Amino acid sequence: MLLLLLLPLPSPLRRCSGSEPQRPRGTGRLVVVGGGLSAAQLAAFACRLGWRSVTLVSRSELTVRPFDVGGGWVASLLSPELGAEEAAFFAAPPEERLWQLREARPGGSLTPEARRRLAEMELRGAGRVLERAEVRRASWRPKAAEWEVCVCAAADSQGGGGEGGGGQG
């Protein structure tokens, strides 16, 4: 599926006579690229700010875990003794520790709460999640003051539909 989105540039933060900066209120469409917790939180927050349509684009399937690492790494939170993974980590030389850290955290993940918020966003029709998708092209259109973003998604990705974007919406 090929999806074309046209996105107006959001307004910058503005100051009102001596008050705190005002956050921009979205009115059009927004694309968030990423599959981790930060991307999910940004997509949900954009919906709360009033963006009409938010699309989260993730190269892989979203992974839901209570922690970003395996349970063995957080076992000591429940016990005063080190778990096997932690003991091996502290016994290893520094260069091997880096490898262990990279293996322990295989990539972005969402908490169950963040995944629930994305599902609610989709149910309300405020946005969608495209998994196994990638941004093929993004270009700025100065006359329209908007981004043109071309996304290629797997045919069975969530959010379905092959419609193209249009206007500043």
Side-chain angles (χ1 to χ4, degrees), residues 41-70:
Q41 289 175 332
L42 179 59
F45 188 64
C47 284
R48 287 196 306 272
L49 283 178
W51 286 89
R52 181 173 52 85
S53 175
V54 177
T55 302
L56 179 79
V57 178
S58 175
R59 283 185 307 194
S60 59
E61 289 187 32
L62 297 178
T63 302
V64 178
R65 298 191 280 254
F67 299 102
D68 232 5
V69 295

Side-chain angles (χ1 to χ4, degrees), residues 43-44 47-48 116-127:
C47 284
R48 287 196 306 272
R116 183 186 64 74
R117 287 186 181 172
L118 289 178
E120 288 174 358
M121 176 185 80
E122 289 183 292
L123 283 174
R124 286 192 324 267

Side-chain angles (χ1 to χ4, degrees), residues 13-107:
L13 291 177
R14 296 181 304 268
R15 288 207 179 262
C16 291
S17 61
S19 66
E20 290 293 313
Q22 292 181 337
R23 295 201 189 287
R25 297 281 179 191
T27 58
R29 288 178 284 181
L30 179 70
V31 173
V32 178
V33 179
L37 184 57
S38 296
Q41 289 175 332
L42 179 59
F45 188 64
C47 284
R48 287 196 306 272
L49 283 178
W51 286 89
R52 181 173 52 85
S53 175
V54 177
T55 302
L56 179 79
V57 178
S58 175
R59 283 185 307 194
S60 59
E61 289 187 32
L62 297 178
T63 302
V64 178
R65 298 191 280 254
F67 299 102
D68 232 5
V69 295
W73 285 93
V74 294
S76 65
L77 297 175
L78 305 173
S79 166
E81 298 177 15
L82 290 178
E85 286 92 348
E86 293 170 312
F89 175 79
F90 288 117
E95 55 277 355
E96 188 175 323
R97 287 184 185 182
L98 180 59
W99 177 83
Q100 288 177 356
L101 288 172
R102 287 183 178 149
E103 288 294 310
R105 193 172 175 273

Side-chain angles (χ1 to χ4, degrees), residues 139-163:
S139 56
W140 175 246
R141 298 173 56 188
K143 287 184 180 179
E146 64 187 9
W147 284 96
E148 180 180 74
V149 180
C150 181
V151 176
C152 184
D156 61 343
S157 266
Q158 293 178 342
E163 75 277 0

